[in-house]
Amino acid sequence: MSDAVKLIEVKEDIQADNERVARELRARLAARKTFLLNVMSGPGAGKTSTILRTVEELRGRWRFGVLEADIESTVDAERVAACGIRAVQLRTGGLCHLDATMVEQGLEALGLDGLDVVIIENVGNLVCPAEFDTGAMRNVMLLSVPEGDDKPLKYPLMFSVVDALLIKQGRLSDALRLRHRRSSRTGAEDQSARARLRDLGEDRPGVREWAEWLRGEVETVVGSAAQAESHPGRA
């Protein structure tokens, strides 16, 4: 490159700015004791149904809101709202991920009064969502095994940034595993897995085990159900 040409690393600038916004958002949410969970997966892996079953399992303990992200349509937000859950659709118009600024906008539209837990359903994609911090306290990935068992090799970043990995294997197998983070860049399975769960799609005990793990994570921010009810400024 000649001295007459100035090079600007746009991606680095964008990432640095997003990380700052994400840190500030996370701090504000922690201060008001609101837990933010980011759920990621490839398209069609079952994020919406998993979120609905999770909320059903924990609804008596905390109050939930959902941010739905898609390139187009409002189908998922309508489905969530039909279950009596406060929801906002974030239509990205071609962008394949959410960033912290988009999440801030979504939270403002959603309204946090009366909510203890907000779940983000990120855009169905195994690449871009892994690169952008949304401000969430925990990141979870849902993997549907029919997508292929080579996903950790093809998308190592996604597997390295999540705090929990739910493996949904469908009708041919009833195994669902919850894994700690600590996966390597090759996506090798963590040997210190907390639990072996059943298929979220068909097995209620499996959903309960996943919900129990999430309950422990939420309580580190929100507190118990009794504490949540006493938070100032909550309806």
Side-chain angles (χ1 to χ4, degrees):
M1 183 178 69
S2 71
D3 293 338
V5 177
K6 184 176 182 180
L7 175 64
I8 300 175
E9 297 289 353
V10 176
K11 183 176 180 180
E12 290 184 5
D13 290 344
I14 292 173
Q15 290 283 25
D17 186 59
N18 182 70
E19 289 171 7
R20 175 187 58 78
V21 174
R23 285 194 302 269
E24 293 172 355
L25 174 59
R26 197 155 31 241
R28 290 198 303 273
L29 291 173
R32 62 170 289 126
K33 296 188 181 299
T34 301
F35 188 89
L36 184 62
L37 175 70
N38 181 31
V39 179
M40 300 176 284
S41 80
K47 293 189 298 298
T48 306
S49 59
T50 298
I51 288 170
L52 289 175
R53 298 199 68 183
T54 301
V55 172
E56 179 185 357
E57 196 65 34
L58 294 172
R59 209 171 189 177
R61 184 177 294 269
W62 296 298
R63 294 156 294 184
F64 286 83
V66 175
L67 296 181
E68 288 286 348
D70 277 301
I71 293 174
E72 292 292 345
S73 91
T74 59
V75 172
D76 290 339
E78 291 172 0
R79 180 181 173 190
V80 171
C83 295
I85 303 165
R86 197 187 308 177
V88 165
Q89 181 74 53
L90 296 171
R91 190 162 56 188
T92 67
L95 292 177
C96 59
H97 66 277
L98 290 180
D99 62 23
T101 299
M102 297 176 199
V103 171
E104 277 190 320
Q105 294 171 346
L107 292 175
E108 183 177 353
L110 185 68
L112 292 177
D113 287 342
L115 296 180
D116 302 302
V117 181
V118 177
I119 302 177
I120 302 166
E121 180 176 338
N122 216 314
V123 179
N125 189 307
L126 292 177
V127 182
C128 304
E131 297 182 350
F132 288 84
D133 190 343
T134 60
M137 279 80 170
R138 298 292 183 272
N139 295 292
V140 174
M141 178 190 171
L142 179 65
L143 176 65
S144 177
V145 168
E147 295 179 76
D149 60 5
D150 56 358
K151 289 298 179 288
L153 298 175
K154 291 183 176 180
Y155 307 101
L157 180 60
M158 174 64 76
F159 287 80
S160 70
V161 301
V162 296
D163 300 292
L165 173 61
L166 301 175
I167 304 179
K168 185 176 181 181
Q169 298 197 20
R171 295 183 179 180
L172 296 180
S173 175
D174 65 0
L176 176 74
R177 296 168 187 162
L178 177 65
R179 298 292 183 188
H180 274 297
R181 188 180 166 183
R182 301 196 189 97
S183 56
S184 71
R185 286 182 177 269
T186 61
E189 287 187 345
D190 174 27
Q191 297 303 311
S192 62
R194 280 193 181 180
R196 182 179 178 87
L197 307 180
R198 291 187 178 276
D199 186 349
L200 284 179
E202 300 178 5
D203 188 80
R204 181 166 291 276
V207 176
R208 287 174 179 165
E209 288 195 58
W210 147 242
E212 183 66 15
W213 179 87
L214 181 58
R215 181 192 61 77
E217 301 302 303
V218 174
E219 285 188 350
T220 65
V221 174
V222 175
S224 67
Q227 290 173 319
E229 291 297 328
S230 66
H231 290 157
R234 293 181 182 273

